[in-house]
Amino acid sequence: MPEKQENDAKRLYREVREEVMYEISGSNELNDRELLQIIDRCLEHKTHSRLLDLKTRMDLRNELYNSFKKLDILQELLDDRSVTEIMINGPEDIFVERNNRMQRWNGSFESEDKLEDIIQQIVSRINRRVNTASPIVDARLEDGSRVHIVLPPAALNGPTVTIRKFPEPIGMEQMIRSGTITGEAAEWLSRLVRCGYNIVISGGTSSGKSTFLNALTVFVPEDERVITIEDSAELQIRHIPNLVRLETRDAGSDGQGAITMAMLIKASLRMRPDRIIVGEVRGSEALDMLTACNTGHDGSLSTGHANSTKDMLTRLESMVLMAVELPLPAIRSQIAAGIDIMVHLMRTPDHKRRVMEISEIEGIDTEHGGEIRLHPIFVYDADEDRLVRKDTLIHREKLRMRGAAGIEGL
């Protein structure tokens, strides 16, 4: 669009929007039909003497509706199924991820104030706050998309928003088709989930940890009581009737009222759970998660940021030390006793998400400094470009207790 036409369109949008705002001021909550009627009336008034084609008029009508009822210019991106991530670095710099490729988007907010209005609209829907005194918050949209917000003075570019979209849960079948995991490894994991093995999923940023965790939850038996604990509720578990979803909360402006991950894990232990699913462990709550795994809550699942399975074990040791001063051998003993299986994912240079390793925690290696010994069962082979089976499961107690058929295949 030529610059003059673009400026004219923006000016017309502002004029019509101001008139709509004047019309609805003082009104009670409008339904969609009433708002569209007001928009149509104001559009007609402002454009009766201008030549405006039908497509331009309808685009303007939708844009105005989105600015009042939805998320303004972001709604176009949220409705676009090919967009998986939206990155806003201030009102004029917006980037999107499509088909695992990042690109700049040509849209922008009309002002920083408008962007801040949208941010407050997002956080208010889930009763959270974000302001200059508390400039960082995690939130979610109605469709489950994850939102991370950083405001000035912490964000130097202006209000910064990152939206990770979760339009539809990706199942294990889709992951097999896309090459993330092999059918054999998926079947192997599904049987371990059903039999109550405690599994930790590790990986870097945007490696697909949460998506993989959500896919694994499908294998949890539907007659169990499951409690999920997350910073922002993202897991989409639909087949469990007895499901309790818990979510953390940041402290208010007075520094009070925070609900931490550790508090929720402790609370969940009093709710008679069969399984506890922790969205991600980042700090001292790792001790509470291990306590749950070691006190009869088999089948617990969690994720964590790490560059490898060994790195995840080291990070767990550090996170437990954030909570309590314990000798390192005691911490390693807790980890080895509480966690059964480690799954590591990576986003490869070709922008594909892949399971790189599935290992069993074998125990403590007393001959080599008391380190936790990993027993690799599936390992990614770059030459074959897939997970390759390396060995069989050592610890089969839970399989035997739960009567799993075909134990020899595991």
Side-chain angles (χ1 to χ4, degrees), residues 220-407:
V220 174
E222 63 180 27
D223 61 348
E224 294 189 358
R225 177 170 170 81
V226 177
I227 297 178
T228 65
I229 301 168
E230 302 174 84
D231 278 329
S232 292
E234 299 167 0
L235 291 172
Q236 301 179 54
I237 303 175
R238 297 170 178 171
H239 70 293
I240 304 289
N242 197 350
L243 174 68
V244 178
R245 303 173 73 210
L246 303 178
E247 185 178 65
T248 63
R249 184 179 71 189
D250 296 329
S253 55
D254 58 356
Q256 304 297 314
I259 301 174
T260 66
M261 191 79 80
M263 292 166 64
L264 292 178
I265 295 174
K266 288 176 182 176
S268 72
L269 296 176
R270 300 182 180 93
M271 297 181 184
R272 201 252 173 240
D274 289 311
R275 295 180 193 245
I276 299 170
I277 299 175
V278 181
E280 182 177 337
V281 287
R282 294 191 181 96
S284 59
E285 69 271 8
L287 176 62
D288 301 290
M289 183 200 73
L290 288 173
T291 300
C293 290
N294 281 307
T295 52
H297 300 93
D298 290 338
S300 296
L301 305 170
S302 187
T303 72
H305 272 83
N307 294 322
S308 66
T309 50
K310 285 188 177 180
D311 183 39
M312 188 69 232
L313 292 173
T314 303
R315 292 205 66 231
L316 282 171
E317 293 171 5
S318 301
M319 287 188 276
V320 171
L321 284 170
M322 293 179 191
V324 64
E325 286 289 337
L326 283 175
L328 194 55
I331 295 173
R332 288 175 175 171
S333 178
Q334 285 281 304
I335 294 171
I339 299 172
D340 300 308
I341 301 294
M342 305 286 293
V343 180
H344 185 70
L345 290 98
M346 181 183 289
R347 189 172 183 179
T348 53
D350 60 1
H351 301 283
K352 292 182 179 179
R353 295 174 174 89
R354 299 183 186 278
V355 175
M356 304 301 290
E357 180 184 341
I358 302 174
S359 290
E360 177 185 14
I361 290 187
E362 187 175 344
I364 302 296
D365 190 344
T366 54
E367 296 181 2
H368 296 86
E371 291 187 356
I372 297 171
R373 187 165 55 240
L374 286 168
H375 174 59
I377 297 179
F378 290 90
V379 177
Y380 177 75
D381 187 306
D383 293 331
E384 296 189 31
D385 191 25
R386 68 184 186 92
L387 273 180
V388 175
R389 181 73 176 261
K390 293 293 184 182
D391 214 332
T392 58
L393 194 67
I394 295 174
H395 299 294
R396 305 188 178 196
E397 296 81 6
K398 293 178 182 178
L399 292 172
R400 295 191 183 98
M401 283 191 297
R402 301 212 178 190
I407 291 177

Side-chain angles (χ1 to χ4, degrees), residues 138-168:
D138 286 308
R140 68 178 183 280
L141 303 181
E142 292 176 355
D143 66 356
S145 298
R146 179 199 308 167
V147 185
H148 183 70
I149 298 165
V150 184
L151 293 184
L156 303 182
N157 292 9
T160 301
V161 183
T162 308
I163 301 175
R164 173 78 61 81
K165 289 172 61 179
F166 295 96
E168 284 296 329

Side-chain angles (χ1 to χ4, degrees), residues 85-101:
E85 194 139 9
I86 304 167
M87 293 149 277
I88 303 164
N89 309 331
E92 296 182 354
D93 291 325
I94 302 176
F95 294 81
V96 299
E97 183 186 65
R98 278 191 178 95
N99 303 316
N100 297 319
R101 301 280 179 178

